[in-house]
Each structure stands twice: as structure tokens, then as C-alpha cells.
Amino acid sequence: MRVATDLDKMMRPDLLELDEYTPIEPLEKLSERLGIPVERIVKLDANENPYGCDPAALQALATNRVYHIYPDPTCLFLREALEKFTGFDRERILVGSGSDELLELLIRLFITPGDNIIDLVPTFGMYSFLGKLYQAEVRSVARDPQTYAVDLDATLQAIDERTKIIFVCTPNNPTGNQCSEETIRALLATGKLVVVDEAYHDFAGTSYGSLTNEYENLVVLRTFSKLSGLAGLRVGYGIFPPAIIKHLWKIKQPYNVTVAGQAAATASLKDPAWLQEKVGLIVAEREKLFNLLQELDGIEPLPSSSNFIFCRVHRGNARLIKETLETRGVFIRYFNKPLLQNSFRISVGTPEQTAILMENLREVLAAV
Ligand SMILES: Cc1ncc(COP(=O)(O)O)c(C=O)c1O
């Protein structure tokens, strides 16, 4: 029997108005649509590790025999391995289904509707998305339009008694620049919770992790999705102050990190030499790519401390360039919004991928 009901009226009106998420097409679908084999697609749009994950992680996935058992809610072995790897006590480490989940848990713990969060734009979109989801007022503070450095004075002015969290992405996605220690310390001095997102810190060779020993209002988040090449398994972790982590344990879902994710991430930490070698390759390739992009007429690459390069496009339309590259099997990320006008972000790939990218980019730019 059909019962007359108005479901829309029963839902949260603010959520009905949210923009829809535009999903990235799966590789197999892209390959089918473009008639290009999967192995020939050059995917430089999501800052993944082009070398995949550590063979030790693949081995752990293949030999694990407990996929029929629910995962360990405490991620004990992984946290032990992280303690050794990072030097931080496992009691301060919480693992999430990607660092995205940890961002969400923090917002859930701190935000009462009407509180505000500080979003240093342009930056990673998840902070504002989650803020809106939990009915926080998202206070966007513009970075310097040329360098994308955080505007400390404007940030301090935006903070008030209902400010709960300041999100600092360093190196910043999508602009690739780092936030200075001086700025981070000034933000910490406000007493608000500062969440430093270090998803890309390996490529910068720096970290603010040690500041967690000094400040009780600092959380540092990291991920296995980028350097460790495990984006598809969804594993991230954070270093938290004791006063925060004890409540996160209560509000997280028990089985938030899969058996596969825990096994692969734990195995990947046992081989720091593999990770270091890949950092070296990616950083060297980044510098090479930067020089090559600089030679292109009408493209202005910005120096990057990450595994991607942000470029302003001064001649031609960035969207058209991106779409033409796509028809050739080369994928990059395009932007056209305030502070990111007519621009794109290119992830650093293998030398072979750089060669294919550059050949196609030169041809496409010659035609605009
Ligand atoms: C700055 C930043 N933080 C966090 C994430 C999400 O990481 P995870 O895959 O661990 O959820 C990303 C992913 O692109 C990112 O760019």
C-alpha cells in the first residue's frame, strides 16, 4: 500500500540544499568510454602514489586468512607499528577509515550547531563539507592570492568565542605550499583546536608532529592514501591529545578500519626503505616536472612541497585543456573558482607518465 507522505519535509532542510558530490569515474569505465586500455591511462588527478603500494602490503593481503572475522576495533597491531614508525605513544594514536573519518569524528565531537570552524581557503574541500554537514558556520579566510600563504591577521580576526576548530592543511592541497611554524604557533596560542592535516608531509620532509608534545590543543592527521599507496583501503591516523582521544574512542564506529586495511597498512610500515625510496623518486620527478612546466608558454607552475603541482593558466581555457587531455587518456584536476581561477593541479607521476603528459600538454597548448 502506498502511504502519502512528504519525505522531503521530514529531512533536514539544510542538507537538502547541499550540492551533489561529483564522483570520479572508475578507471575501467573511463577506459571503456575512451577506448583506451586501463594501463595506458595516465591518472594524475588525485595525488595517488603512481608506484602503487609496498609489495609487503600486497603480500599481507594475499596471505591473511581472517577476512570472515570482524576487524580489531582498536587497530592494536597497526598502532604498535605506528608507535615504532612515528615515535609517538600508541595511546595518542587513533586510526580511521581514511583521515576523512578522523576529520568527521573531530567535527562530531566539537561542533554544536551554530559553532564555527575556520577554513583557510583555497584548501582541501572536506573541512567545509563536513562543517556544513554538522551545521557549523564555515568561516572562510582567504589566503594570499599570489603565494597562498595563510593570512594570520585575517584568521585571528575571524576567530570568536564560538570558534571550535581551525583547519590547517600543510603542505596545502591544492596549492602545494607549506604553513610556517610561526603561524601554526600563533594559531595554537588562541587556545582553539588546531587540526594540522599532514596528508602530504612526506613530500615536504617536514612535520609538526613534535608540537603535539607541547600543545594540548593540537591534532596532527596523516594518511596511508598518498605515499603508502593504500587510498583504496581507506586508512588514516592521527596524533591526538589525551583529553580528545578518550572521547573519540567512544564515538567512533567499532569496526571503522577493515581487516584488509589494518593488515596492509601494518605491513607497509615494516619497510620504511621502500617508502623512502618512493619519496625520493616522487620528489625528484616533481622538480623535473616543475622545470618542464615552466618552459611552457602561458602556464605558471607554483613551487610545490607536495606530490602535485598547481598551475595557473594564462593563455587558453584550463577546462578545455583538461577536457582535451582527457580524450587522450591523461587526467588532471581542474579549478575555476575564487582564488583558483583558470587553473589546474597535476599529480606527480612516474617518468613515463611525465613524458606522456608533457607530449600531450604541448600539443594541446599549441592548438589553443
Ligand atoms: C589534504 C588532504 N587531507 C586528507 C585527505 C584524505 O585522506 P584519506 O584518503 O586518508 O581520507 C586528502 C585526500 O585527498 C587530502 O588531500
Side-chain angles (χ1 to χ4, degrees):
M1 192 179 72
R2 282 188 67 116
V3 179
T5 180
D6 193 341
L7 294 174
D8 273 7
K9 287 220 175 85
M10 293 157 66
M11 297 177 204
R12 260 175 54 189
D14 58 313
L15 291 190
L16 299 184
E17 276 159 28
L18 280 184
D19 291 336
E20 268 177 45
Y21 176 70
T22 320
I24 292 187
E25 229 177 320
L27 263 186
E28 290 72 14
K29 273 269 157 226
L30 282 174
S31 145
E32 210 178 286
R33 181 161 65 79
L34 300 168
I36 299 174
V38 170
E39 57 284 1
R40 284 207 25 237
I41 289 185
V42 176
K43 192 175 176 311
L44 302 176
D45 57 355
N47 306 336
E48 291 128 339
N49 186 337
Y51 299 99
C53 66
D54 188 332
L58 292 178
Q59 175 77 11
L61 289 169
T63 52
N64 199 310
R65 289 283 168 272
V66 290
Y67 293 123
H68 61 298
I69 306 283
Y70 283 105
D72 168 15
T74 70
C75 293
L76 181 63
F77 293 125
L78 178 51
R79 285 172 45 246
E80 275 176 7
L82 279 167
E83 179 176 285
K84 275 204 196 103
F85 185 76
T86 63
F88 294 105
D89 192 322
R90 77 190 74 160
E91 296 305 318
R92 291 170 56 199
I93 298 175
L94 186 75
V95 184
S97 172
S99 46
D100 284 349
E101 190 201 15
L102 299 172
L103 287 167
E104 178 158 11
L105 287 175
L106 285 167
I107 293 207
R108 218 185 282 166
L109 182 62
F110 278 82
I111 297 298
T112 302
D115 288 341
N116 67 68
I117 61 167
I118 304 289
D119 195 28
L120 305 169
V121 293
T123 191
F124 184 47
M126 197 56 73
Y127 318 132
S128 61
F129 165 74
L130 289 172
K132 284 181 207 148
L133 212 54
Y134 286 88
Q135 295 179 296
E137 180 201 338
V138 178
R139 295 202 169 163
S140 299
V141 181
R143 290 163 178 263
D144 180 283
Q146 278 310 307
T147 63
Y148 297 112
V150 171
D151 182 338
L152 181 58
D153 289 342
T155 307
L156 295 176
Q157 270 173 31
I159 293 170
D160 66 13
E161 68 285 353
R162 292 214 66 178
T163 301
K164 291 292 176 68
I165 312 180
I166 306 166
F167 290 98
V168 185
C169 185
T170 180
N172 188 42
N173 179 9
T175 54
N177 59 310
Q178 297 188 70
C179 185
S180 71
E181 181 170 336
E182 202 186 344
T183 300
I184 302 234
R185 284 188 186 273
L187 296 175
L188 284 162
T190 64
K192 305 295 181 182
L193 176 64
V194 177
V195 176
V196 172
D197 184 342
E198 291 195 339
Y200 302 99
H201 82 104
D202 300 283
F203 309 105
T206 56
S207 168
Y208 289 115
S210 63
L211 293 188
T212 59
N213 299 323
E214 273 182 65
Y215 292 92
E216 282 177 1
N217 56 330
L218 172 63
V219 167
V220 172
L221 297 182
R222 297 188 186 150
T223 179
F224 284 86
S225 297
K226 307 299 172 183
L227 175 63
S228 304
L230 294 173
L233 289 181
R234 315 298 304 120
V235 191
Y237 68 98
I239 304 148
F240 296 90
I244 293 180
I245 199 167
K246 67 177 183 195
H247 298 298
L248 293 177
W249 279 116
K250 294 186 283 188
I251 65 169
K252 86 169 186 70
Q253 295 215 18
Y255 304 130
N256 58 332
V257 186
T258 64
V259 169
Q262 294 189 34
T266 306
S268 77
L269 290 176
K270 300 216 166 101
D271 194 4
W274 188 94
L275 293 172
Q276 273 324 304
E277 186 207 338
K278 297 305 177 273
V279 170
L281 292 174
I282 293 168
V283 167
E285 196 60 19
R286 175 184 78 204
E287 298 312 305
K288 185 177 103 192
L289 178 61
F290 180 79
N291 291 333
L292 290 168
L293 290 166
Q294 253 189 337
E295 287 166 13
L296 297 176
D297 191 22
I299 301 287
E300 181 197 355
L302 266 60
S304 169
S305 301
S306 195
N307 66 340
F308 52 80
I309 296 180
F310 179 77
C311 299
R312 297 192 177 108
V313 178
H314 296 301
R315 199 168 62 84
N317 179 310
R319 185 170 60 82
L320 273 179
I321 296 169
K322 178 233 176 207
E323 285 173 357
T324 315
L325 285 174
E326 244 174 55
T327 63
R328 296 160 170 242
V330 177
F331 289 80
I332 61 173
R333 181 79 194 266
Y334 141 85
F335 303 96
N336 195 18
K337 56 183 177 184
L339 293 164
L340 296 176
Q341 285 96 350
N342 208 37
S343 53
F344 43 66
R345 185 195 70 196
I346 307 177
S347 308
V348 178
T350 61
E352 295 73 32
Q353 289 178 322
T354 301
I356 298 172
L357 164 79
M358 290 308 298
E359 185 187 329
N360 283 285
L361 197 50
R362 279 190 201 102
E363 285 174 14
V364 172
L365 288 174
V368 298

